[in-house]
Amino acid sequence: MQPLLVELKRIGNNLNQITRKINSGAFNSYNFSEMIAMQRKIYDAIINLSEEK
């Protein structure tokens, strides 16, 4: 389970960096819907893994 937690922390860090850039106006014309959809798939997969125990 430890490698999963490390990866979750990395994903969280990346999301925080993206959010900061979006809020600063660095990305004002990019469509993030595909990225959001993929993040939801990752989140759902993690939930499924944690429930399999």
Side-chain angles (χ1 to χ4, degrees):
M1 190 58 122
Q2 185 65 21
L4 180 60
L5 293 176
V6 170
E7 191 59 32
L8 283 174
K9 289 179 183 182
R10 288 180 182 151
I11 292 169
N13 186 39
N14 289 339
L15 288 174
N16 286 336
Q17 290 176 16
I18 292 167
T19 301
R20 282 190 206 112
K21 289 193 182 236
I22 291 169
N23 289 332
S24 73
F27 299 105
N28 54 12
S29 64
Y30 188 80
N31 183 352
F32 288 96
S33 61
E34 183 179 351
M35 183 180 71
I36 292 167
M38 291 304 295
Q39 186 60 40
R40 284 187 182 137
K41 287 182 181 182
I42 293 168
Y43 178 77
D44 290 342
I46 291 168
I47 294 298
N48 288 337
L49 285 172
S50 67
E51 291 174 349
E52 289 178 5
K53 283 187 153 188

PDB file of all heavy atoms in Angstrom, residues 6-22 27 35 39:
ATOM      1  N   VAL A   6       2.444   7.001  -2.029  1.00  0.00           N
ATOM      2  CA  VAL A   6       3.462   7.868  -2.632  1.00  0.00           C
ATOM      3  C   VAL A   6       2.930   8.426  -3.952  1.00  0.00           C
ATOM      4  O   VAL A   6       3.057   9.626  -4.230  1.00  0.00           O
ATOM      5  CB  VAL A   6       4.783   7.094  -2.850  1.00  0.00           C
ATOM      6  CG1 VAL A   6       5.750   7.898  -3.687  1.00  0.00           C
ATOM      7  CG2 VAL A   6       5.409   6.738  -1.507  1.00  0.00           C
ATOM      8  N   GLU A   7       2.318   7.575  -4.744  1.00  0.00           N
ATOM      9  CA  GLU A   7       1.786   8.022  -6.036  1.00  0.00           C
ATOM     10  C   GLU A   7       0.638   8.999  -5.850  1.00  0.00           C
ATOM     11  O   GLU A   7       0.520   9.982  -6.572  1.00  0.00           O
ATOM     12  CB  GLU A   7       1.335   6.825  -6.872  1.00  0.00           C
ATOM     13  CG  GLU A   7       1.030   7.169  -8.302  1.00  0.00           C
ATOM     14  CD  GLU A   7       2.198   7.766  -9.050  1.00  0.00           C
ATOM     15  OE1 GLU A   7       3.364   7.428  -8.773  1.00  0.00           O
ATOM     16  OE2 GLU A   7       1.950   8.591  -9.950  1.00  0.00           O
ATOM     17  N   LEU A   8      -0.219   8.766  -4.863  1.00  0.00           N
ATOM     18  CA  LEU A   8      -1.306   9.700  -4.574  1.00  0.00           C
ATOM     19  C   LEU A   8      -0.766  11.074  -4.190  1.00  0.00           C
ATOM     20  O   LEU A   8      -1.310  12.100  -4.609  1.00  0.00           O
ATOM     21  CB  LEU A   8      -2.181   9.161  -3.444  1.00  0.00           C
ATOM     22  CG  LEU A   8      -3.157   8.071  -3.825  1.00  0.00           C
ATOM     23  CD1 LEU A   8      -3.848   7.538  -2.585  1.00  0.00           C
ATOM     24  CD2 LEU A   8      -4.175   8.598  -4.817  1.00  0.00           C
ATOM     25  N   LYS A   9       0.303  11.096  -3.411  1.00  0.00           N
ATOM     26  CA  LYS A   9       0.917  12.373  -3.035  1.00  0.00           C
ATOM     27  C   LYS A   9       1.471  13.085  -4.260  1.00  0.00           C
ATOM     28  O   LYS A   9       1.344  14.301  -4.389  1.00  0.00           O
ATOM     29  CB  LYS A   9       2.018  12.155  -2.000  1.00  0.00           C
ATOM     30  CG  LYS A   9       1.480  11.774  -0.639  1.00  0.00           C
ATOM     31  CD  LYS A   9       2.605  11.556   0.352  1.00  0.00           C
ATOM     32  CE  LYS A   9       2.052  11.107   1.686  1.00  0.00           C
ATOM     33  NZ  LYS A   9       3.107  10.929   2.683  1.00  0.00           N
ATOM     34  N   ARG A  10       2.055  12.346  -5.176  1.00  0.00           N
ATOM     35  CA  ARG A  10       2.575  12.951  -6.411  1.00  0.00           C
ATOM     36  C   ARG A  10       1.442  13.528  -7.254  1.00  0.00           C
ATOM     37  O   ARG A  10       1.552  14.626  -7.795  1.00  0.00           O
ATOM     38  CB  ARG A  10       3.360  11.919  -7.211  1.00  0.00           C
ATOM     39  CG  ARG A  10       4.679  11.560  -6.591  1.00  0.00           C
ATOM     40  CD  ARG A  10       5.412  10.545  -7.430  1.00  0.00           C
ATOM     41  NE  ARG A  10       6.654  10.174  -6.781  1.00  0.00           N
ATOM     42  CZ  ARG A  10       7.240   9.006  -6.901  1.00  0.00           C
ATOM     43  NH1 ARG A  10       6.722   8.077  -7.682  1.00  0.00           N
ATOM     44  NH2 ARG A  10       8.365   8.746  -6.274  1.00  0.00           N
ATOM     45  N   ILE A  11       0.380  12.771  -7.382  1.00  0.00           N
ATOM     46  CA  ILE A  11      -0.776  13.246  -8.142  1.00  0.00           C
ATOM     47  C   ILE A  11      -1.336  14.514  -7.500  1.00  0.00           C
ATOM     48  O   ILE A  11      -1.645  15.491  -8.190  1.00  0.00           O
ATOM     49  CB  ILE A  11      -1.858  12.151  -8.252  1.00  0.00           C
ATOM     50  CG1 ILE A  11      -1.369  11.009  -9.133  1.00  0.00           C
ATOM     51  CG2 ILE A  11      -3.174  12.724  -8.784  1.00  0.00           C
ATOM     52  CD1 ILE A  11      -2.246   9.777  -9.094  1.00  0.00           C
ATOM     53  N   GLY A  12      -1.472  14.501  -6.195  1.00  0.00           N
ATOM     54  CA  GLY A  12      -1.967  15.675  -5.477  1.00  0.00           C
ATOM     55  C   GLY A  12      -1.087  16.881  -5.694  1.00  0.00           C
ATOM     56  O   GLY A  12      -1.582  17.994  -5.906  1.00  0.00           O
ATOM     57  N   ASN A  13       0.215  16.680  -5.650  1.00  0.00           N
ATOM     58  CA  ASN A  13       1.152  17.766  -5.878  1.00  0.00           C
ATOM     59  C   ASN A  13       0.987  18.334  -7.284  1.00  0.00           C
ATOM     60  O   ASN A  13       0.958  19.553  -7.488  1.00  0.00           O
ATOM     61  CB  ASN A  13       2.585  17.284  -5.654  1.00  0.00           C
ATOM     62  CG  ASN A  13       3.574  18.402  -5.732  1.00  0.00           C
ATOM     63  OD1 ASN A  13       3.327  19.505  -5.274  1.00  0.00           O
ATOM     64  ND2 ASN A  13       4.723  18.135  -6.328  1.00  0.00           N
ATOM     65  N   ASN A  14       0.878  17.446  -8.269  1.00  0.00           N
ATOM     66  CA  ASN A  14       0.683  17.892  -9.654  1.00  0.00           C
ATOM     67  C   ASN A  14      -0.617  18.674  -9.807  1.00  0.00           C
ATOM     68  O   ASN A  14      -0.650  19.706 -10.482  1.00  0.00           O
ATOM     69  CB  ASN A  14       0.701  16.706 -10.616  1.00  0.00           C
ATOM     70  CG  ASN A  14       2.076  16.111 -10.764  1.00  0.00           C
ATOM     71  OD1 ASN A  14       3.081  16.743 -10.488  1.00  0.00           O
ATOM     72  ND2 ASN A  14       2.122  14.872 -11.209  1.00  0.00           N
ATOM     73  N   LEU A  15      -1.684  18.200  -9.190  1.00  0.00           N
ATOM     74  CA  LEU A  15      -2.964  18.903  -9.273  1.00  0.00           C
ATOM     75  C   LEU A  15      -2.881  20.286  -8.633  1.00  0.00           C
ATOM     76  O   LEU A  15      -3.436  21.255  -9.156  1.00  0.00           O
ATOM     77  CB  LEU A  15      -4.070  18.085  -8.608  1.00  0.00           C
ATOM     78  CG  LEU A  15      -4.523  16.847  -9.362  1.00  0.00           C
ATOM     79  CD1 LEU A  15      -5.507  16.048  -8.525  1.00  0.00           C
ATOM     80  CD2 LEU A  15      -5.140  17.219 -10.684  1.00  0.00           C
ATOM     81  N   ASN A  16      -2.171  20.378  -7.524  1.00  0.00           N
ATOM     82  CA  ASN A  16      -2.002  21.681  -6.873  1.00  0.00           C
ATOM     83  C   ASN A  16      -1.235  22.645  -7.772  1.00  0.00           C
ATOM     84  O   ASN A  16      -1.583  23.826  -7.874  1.00  0.00           O
ATOM     85  CB  ASN A  16      -1.280  21.536  -5.535  1.00  0.00           C
ATOM     86  CG  ASN A  16      -2.162  20.941  -4.465  1.00  0.00           C
ATOM     87  OD1 ASN A  16      -3.381  21.022  -4.543  1.00  0.00           O
ATOM     88  ND2 ASN A  16      -1.562  20.337  -3.461  1.00  0.00           N
ATOM     89  N   GLN A  17      -0.208  22.162  -8.429  1.00  0.00           N
ATOM     90  CA  GLN A  17       0.568  23.017  -9.331  1.00  0.00           C
ATOM     91  C   GLN A  17      -0.287  23.474 -10.513  1.00  0.00           C
ATOM     92  O   GLN A  17      -0.242  24.643 -10.904  1.00  0.00           O
ATOM     93  CB  GLN A  17       1.806  22.274  -9.834  1.00  0.00           C
ATOM     94  CG  GLN A  17       2.850  22.061  -8.762  1.00  0.00           C
ATOM     95  CD  GLN A  17       4.024  21.227  -9.255  1.00  0.00           C
ATOM     96  OE1 GLN A  17       4.209  21.053 -10.457  1.00  0.00           O
ATOM     97  NE2 GLN A  17       4.816  20.711  -8.327  1.00  0.00           N
ATOM     98  N   ILE A  18      -1.057  22.575 -11.072  1.00  0.00           N
ATOM     99  CA  ILE A  18      -1.945  22.925 -12.188  1.00  0.00           C
ATOM    100  C   ILE A  18      -2.970  23.959 -11.738  1.00  0.00           C
ATOM    101  O   ILE A  18      -3.229  24.948 -12.436  1.00  0.00           O
ATOM    102  CB  ILE A  18      -2.632  21.662 -12.752  1.00  0.00           C
ATOM    103  CG1 ILE A  18      -1.601  20.763 -13.437  1.00  0.00           C
ATOM    104  CG2 ILE A  18      -3.754  22.037 -13.713  1.00  0.00           C
ATOM    105  CD1 ILE A  18      -2.109  19.367 -13.739  1.00  0.00           C
ATOM    106  N   THR A  19      -3.553  23.741 -10.569  1.00  0.00           N
ATOM    107  CA  THR A  19      -4.564  24.661 -10.045  1.00  0.00           C
ATOM    108  C   THR A  19      -3.986  26.055  -9.846  1.00  0.00           C
ATOM    109  O   THR A  19      -4.621  27.054 -10.198  1.00  0.00           O
ATOM    110  CB  THR A  19      -5.129  24.126  -8.716  1.00  0.00           C
ATOM    111  OG1 THR A  19      -5.697  22.832  -8.956  1.00  0.00           O
ATOM    112  CG2 THR A  19      -6.197  25.045  -8.167  1.00  0.00           C
ATOM    113  N   ARG A  20      -2.777  26.128  -9.301  1.00  0.00           N
ATOM    114  CA  ARG A  20      -2.131  27.437  -9.112  1.00  0.00           C
ATOM    115  C   ARG A  20      -1.943  28.156 -10.447  1.00  0.00           C
ATOM    116  O   ARG A  20      -2.193  29.354 -10.558  1.00  0.00           O
ATOM    117  CB  ARG A  20      -0.783  27.272  -8.416  1.00  0.00           C
ATOM    118  CG  ARG A  20      -0.910  27.041  -6.939  1.00  0.00           C
ATOM    119  CD  ARG A  20       0.462  27.134  -6.252  1.00  0.00           C
ATOM    120  NE  ARG A  20       0.409  26.346  -5.042  1.00  0.00           N
ATOM    121  CZ  ARG A  20       1.071  25.219  -4.832  1.00  0.00           C
ATOM    122  NH1 ARG A  20       1.904  24.758  -5.728  1.00  0.00           N
ATOM    123  NH2 ARG A  20       0.945  24.560  -3.709  1.00  0.00           N
ATOM    124  N   LYS A  21      -1.505  27.423 -11.460  1.00  0.00           N
ATOM    125  CA  LYS A  21      -1.287  28.036 -12.782  1.00  0.00           C
ATOM    126  C   LYS A  21      -2.600  28.499 -13.400  1.00  0.00           C
ATOM    127  O   LYS A  21      -2.670  29.564 -14.011  1.00  0.00           O
ATOM    128  CB  LYS A  21      -0.554  27.076 -13.701  1.00  0.00           C
ATOM    129  CG  LYS A  21       0.895  26.909 -13.287  1.00  0.00           C
ATOM    130  CD  LYS A  21       1.697  26.226 -14.344  1.00  0.00           C
ATOM    131  CE  LYS A  21       3.112  26.058 -13.811  1.00  0.00           C
ATOM    132  NZ  LYS A  21       4.091  26.636 -14.669  1.00  0.00           N
ATOM    133  N   ILE A  22      -3.640  27.691 -13.259  1.00  0.00           N
ATOM    134  CA  ILE A  22      -4.948  28.078 -13.800  1.00  0.00           C
ATOM    135  C   ILE A  22      -5.437  29.348 -13.102  1.00  0.00           C
ATOM    136  O   ILE A  22      -5.880  30.297 -13.752  1.00  0.00           O
ATOM    137  CB  ILE A  22      -5.973  26.940 -13.647  1.00  0.00           C
ATOM    138  CG1 ILE A  22      -5.611  25.774 -14.567  1.00  0.00           C
ATOM    139  CG2 ILE A  22      -7.394  27.435 -13.922  1.00  0.00           C
ATOM    140  CD1 ILE A  22      -6.401  24.516 -14.304  1.00  0.00           C
ATOM    141  N   PHE A  27      -3.223  29.622 -17.873  1.00  0.00           N
ATOM    142  CA  PHE A  27      -3.999  28.844 -18.841  1.00  0.00           C
ATOM    143  C   PHE A  27      -5.403  29.427 -18.884  1.00  0.00           C
ATOM    144  O   PHE A  27      -6.227  29.110 -18.053  1.00  0.00           O
ATOM    145  CB  PHE A  27      -4.101  27.372 -18.425  1.00  0.00           C
ATOM    146  CG  PHE A  27      -2.780  26.663 -18.331  1.00  0.00           C
ATOM    147  CD1 PHE A  27      -2.213  26.378 -17.097  1.00  0.00           C
ATOM    148  CD2 PHE A  27      -2.113  26.278 -19.470  1.00  0.00           C
ATOM    149  CE1 PHE A  27      -1.008  25.722 -17.004  1.00  0.00           C
ATOM    150  CE2 PHE A  27      -0.898  25.620 -19.389  1.00  0.00           C
ATOM    151  CZ  PHE A  27      -0.353  25.349 -18.157  1.00  0.00           C
ATOM    152  N   MET A  35      -8.734  16.243 -19.024  1.00  0.00           N
ATOM    153  CA  MET A  35      -7.890  16.019 -17.856  1.00  0.00           C
ATOM    154  C   MET A  35      -8.743  15.704 -16.623  1.00  0.00           C
ATOM    155  O   MET A  35      -8.436  14.802 -15.847  1.00  0.00           O
ATOM    156  CB  MET A  35      -7.017  17.243 -17.576  1.00  0.00           C
ATOM    157  CG  MET A  35      -6.071  17.027 -16.423  1.00  0.00           C
ATOM    158  SD  MET A  35      -5.040  18.434 -16.073  1.00  0.00           S
ATOM    159  CE  MET A  35      -6.223  19.557 -15.399  1.00  0.00           C
ATOM    160  N   GLN A  39      -8.744  12.245 -14.463  1.00  0.00           N
ATOM    161  CA  GLN A  39      -8.498  12.282 -13.024  1.00  0.00           C
ATOM    162  C   GLN A  39      -9.609  11.540 -12.279  1.00  0.00           C
ATOM    163  O   GLN A  39      -9.350  10.844 -11.310  1.00  0.00           O
ATOM    164  CB  GLN A  39      -8.381  13.730 -12.536  1.00  0.00           C
ATOM    165  CG  GLN A  39      -7.987  13.844 -11.095  1.00  0.00           C
ATOM    166  CD  GLN A  39      -6.651  13.202 -10.799  1.00  0.00           C
ATOM    167  OE1 GLN A  39      -5.723  13.308 -11.585  1.00  0.00           O
ATOM    168  NE2 GLN A  39      -6.536  12.545  -9.683  1.00  0.00           N
TER     169      GLN A  39
END
